[in-house]
Amino acid sequence: MNKNECITYDKAIQLVKDEVDNILSTSPLIIRGYTKHLTNSRGKFIRAMSVIMCAEKEDGNIHPDAIKIAAAIEILHLATLVHDDVIDNADLRRGEITLQKKYGKRTAVICGDYLLCTALRLTTSIENAGDYLKLNMPDYMGKVCLGELNQHINNTNLNLSVYQYLKIISGKTAALFEASFYAGALFLENQKTDLNKYRQLGFYIGMIFQLTDDCIDFENTRDEALKPVQSDYEQGVITLPLIHALKNLGGFKDKAKQEGVTREEINEAVKKTGGLDFTRIMVQKYHNKSMKLITQLDAHDIKKDKLILILNKAARLA
């Protein structure tokens, strides 16, 4: 691809998907069968779409280097999912059998590590990589790993506070969204004035994505979510709706500590205390902050509409 060529949004998204599929299907032979398996569960590309949307210039075109950055972030996200499935012993991801279920945990961990290395290699493969050193992909990868570790350390912690939980997901989920928006904005001429706004917007949208996912774990069926649901507590993960219930339902925390509680009891406690409504209020606060930032961006209306679409996708409103 000509480095001076600029491309449209739709073409850019297709090129990102082609790049990711090519990476997964042309891996070294020893690992290719495993990575090709992942092409069936590569998701909706919401993070890659974020990179491309933020990189879109006033004339509607995107610099071709944004393609590799978007693909790298998508590969990185895929690596975290492979590792997550190992940790959670998950057997289903986006309607497909997980790598760890089909080939074993050790193979899955190694494949996840390979994908992490591939993502880093991809970000450094662009000709003018020095122009994008501000992105500091390894730093964002570190934030994701520390967020996951923080969650693991706090598994079964029934005293987990709202603040502690938000801190966990700010690394576990929001960091990669922040990286996506920030990476795209680095391709804009007006980045000095808007760069931090894009980065903050990505953070807010990442928080919305995870908090909405917390609600889905209580609301959707396995067939609707295309992955295991109502399984967070069974994995020791304490999410915001349950944190709210533990704090506000008298005797519930003591019972959980002493005797343990069933999924039915958790659902009833969350319903009785309005745990889902509390979480949605938090989502709405981040949504309002996001909308305010979008209106402040030096961008044309069509681009702002696209950013609102991503925002609503994260909140499962689109």
Side-chain angles (χ1 to χ4, degrees):
M1 190 183 301
N2 188 332
K3 68 178 182 178
N4 295 317
E5 177 190 4
C6 284
I7 50 183
T8 62
Y9 171 79
D10 289 337
K11 183 179 179 182
I13 294 297
Q14 187 57 54
L15 287 171
V16 173
K17 292 179 179 179
D18 293 344
E19 181 81 19
V20 171
D21 284 348
N22 181 62
I23 289 169
L24 296 177
S25 61
T26 61
S27 301
L29 191 58
I30 192 172
I31 202 171
R32 189 177 302 166
Y34 309 128
T35 56
K36 285 184 71 174
H37 175 76
L38 296 172
T39 59
N40 296 322
S41 57
R42 53 181 171 80
K44 299 178 180 178
F45 278 74
I46 187 170
R47 293 157 190 81
M49 290 169 60
S50 299
V51 175
I52 300 303
M53 281 185 183
C54 293
E56 189 177 78
K57 301 178 181 179
E58 283 296 316
D59 61 3
N61 286 317
I62 294 104
H63 194 287
D65 283 346
I67 306 302
K68 286 192 174 182
I69 296 292
I73 286 178
E74 200 61 37
I75 291 291
L76 172 57
H77 173 57
L78 190 56
T80 66
L81 296 183
V82 170
H83 284 161
D84 280 353
D85 289 340
V86 172
I87 294 170
D88 298 340
N89 197 33
D91 59 3
L92 195 68
R93 170 70 66 177
R94 293 165 180 156
E96 299 288 337
I97 188 170
T98 60
L99 202 64
Q100 72 92 22
K101 180 69 174 179
K102 186 170 184 178
Y103 297 108
K105 295 182 185 299
R106 292 184 180 181
T107 297
V109 168
I110 293 169
C111 287
D113 292 344
Y114 171 79
L115 292 174
L116 287 172
C117 296
T118 300
L120 278 177
R121 186 173 68 247
L122 197 56
T123 59
T124 58
S125 67
I126 57 179
E127 291 185 18
N128 51 339
D131 293 347
Y132 312 115
L133 289 177
K134 288 181 180 179
L135 176 58
N136 199 0
M137 184 66 81
D139 185 50
Y140 278 107
M141 291 172 67
K143 288 180 179 180
V144 173
C145 292
L146 292 176
E148 289 284 0
L149 180 59
N150 196 7
Q151 175 178 281
H152 177 69
I153 290 171
N154 281 285
N155 275 1
T156 70
N157 179 8
L158 300 178
N159 295 314
L160 193 66
S161 69
V162 172
Y163 173 80
Q164 288 174 306
Y165 181 68
L166 295 180
K167 183 70 174 177
I168 288 171
I169 66 173
S170 71
K172 174 180 175 285
T173 305
L176 200 51
F177 274 92
E178 180 182 323
S180 302
F181 278 72
Y182 187 42
L186 286 171
F187 292 94
L188 302 175
E189 287 82 3
N190 62 344
Q191 61 173 268
K192 288 184 179 179
T193 57
D194 275 358
L195 192 55
N196 286 330
K197 291 177 183 177
Y198 277 102
R199 178 162 48 186
Q200 191 68 54
L201 178 61
F203 174 80
Y204 289 154
I205 289 178
M207 298 295 282
I208 288 171
F209 188 91
Q210 183 58 60
L211 292 171
T212 302
D213 206 52
D214 291 349
C215 292
I216 287 175
D217 190 63
F218 284 90
E219 296 173 320
N220 282 20
T221 66
R222 180 186 174 101
D223 290 339
E224 290 170 333
L226 299 179
K227 64 177 182 179
V229 296
Q230 301 212 344
S231 59
D232 283 335
Y233 183 73
E234 285 74 6
Q235 300 294 339
V237 179
I238 311 297
T239 60
L240 194 59
L242 180 54
I243 290 171
H244 184 74
L246 288 166
K247 181 181 178 181
N248 290 280
L249 184 60
F252 181 57
K253 183 187 292 187
D254 290 337
K255 184 179 188 304
K257 286 181 177 179
Q258 296 169 11
E259 306 172 25
V261 289
T262 65
R263 168 48 74 168
E264 290 71 25
E265 288 174 314
I266 290 172
N267 289 346
E268 182 62 27
V270 168
K271 181 178 180 180
K272 188 175 293 186
T273 59
L276 294 181
D277 290 337
F278 175 77
T279 304
R280 290 194 191 94
I281 289 171
M282 192 75 72
V283 167
Q284 189 60 52
K285 288 180 179 179
Y286 283 118
H287 193 283
N288 293 342
K289 290 180 179 180
S290 299
M291 286 297 297
K292 183 177 180 180
L293 275 176
I294 291 172
T295 61
Q296 293 173 352
L297 291 175
D298 182 15
H300 54 76
D301 289 341
I302 294 177
K303 180 174 182 176
K304 289 182 178 181
D305 288 342
K306 289 178 181 176
L307 292 172
I308 292 172
L309 178 63
I310 285 286
L311 169 61
N312 289 336
K313 280 181 178 292
R316 308 329 194 258
L317 298 174

